[in-house]
Amino acid sequence: MAAFKRKRGELLSVNKKAKKGKIVVDQDNGEQERNDEVIVPAPVSMGKWTNKERVLIFSSRGINFRTRHLMQDLRTLMPHSKSDTKMDRKDKLLVINEVCEIKNCNKCIFFEAKKKQDLYMWISNSPHGPSAKFLVQNIHTLAELKMTGNCLRGSRPLLSFDPTFSTPRYHPKSQPFVDHVFTFTIADDRIWFRNYQIVEEDASLVEIGPRFVLNLIKVFQGSFGGPTLYENPGFQSPNMHRRELRLAAAAKIREKQMVKEMQKLKRAEQKEPTCNDVTADVFLTPAEEKPLNIQTEAPEPKVMKKNKHKAFKRQRMQKSGR
């Protein structure tokens, strides 16, 4: 009996929020009204919020502007997300579980920056796990793409692959509409994220943004650590990739230097005569050989005679003038 009364009370509460209307019947181009009442159900947003899932989105220090804009885009797309200050690099990753507990979040998306050029994403189920670590590549934010697609802010998306990014039903910050879709496509051993608008006319898709690619590294049993459940055998670290690029560039330079040296040798071989001309020395006459005189004694010094009566030029000119 108590259960029946409770059920009847729930129905009455729903009916209070529902709307009533009358049925209009068209008979021979004349409209007649019936007294039958139709109860229109309450809108979706009047339901009860039961999924209390919250996602904490923040990063470590050292991120660039592109990562900061990507985090802001994700917070805009997920109204059930929360933010926090940047975490210091010296802190261990296990501290994030305590931050999630303080923020009352059971999911976490953490961006870890290394060397100011490599970006890693941690997706964890706090505090018991599991967790996954990804390398983020090919980031394009909403402000950068400027796509034609558009959707209502806070609306619930259709999901293809992962429920972590889903907005809980009846969330206070969400809208009772489904007008876009999150796609997680696996191609080239990577996960490609796209956000599309669902056009109402023909149900076609128009991209909104943002874009990014996730390259899986490891999956751990715990939250931000623990035993390794899976390791990607085809993953190559960014440091090794940059090292291979430098070695390839150095090999190209060495190859160019070897080609230049070979060209120099070929030019030197072409300048040398291939055969000697027999008649080239016909008109060459040997020079007469002069006897070598070796002086064993020192030469006699020359005696300079001085003319005491020699007048200077000015005196001679004066004499001649007289």
Side-chain angles (χ1 to χ4, degrees), residues 6-25:
R6 184 170 64 253
K7 187 71 175 177
R8 185 167 176 243
E10 292 177 358
L11 291 175
L12 288 176
S13 63
V14 172
N15 291 334
K16 288 180 181 179
K17 298 177 182 178
K19 295 181 180 180
K20 296 182 180 180
K22 294 182 179 181
I23 299 177
V24 179
V25 182

Side-chain angles (χ1 to χ4, degrees), residues 110-126:
F110 177 70
F111 291 93
E112 184 181 9
K114 291 185 178 180
K115 295 186 177 181
K116 296 184 179 180
Q117 54 184 347
D118 301 331
L119 180 64
Y120 297 91
M121 176 192 286
W122 286 84
I123 299 178
S124 175
N125 186 12
S126 179

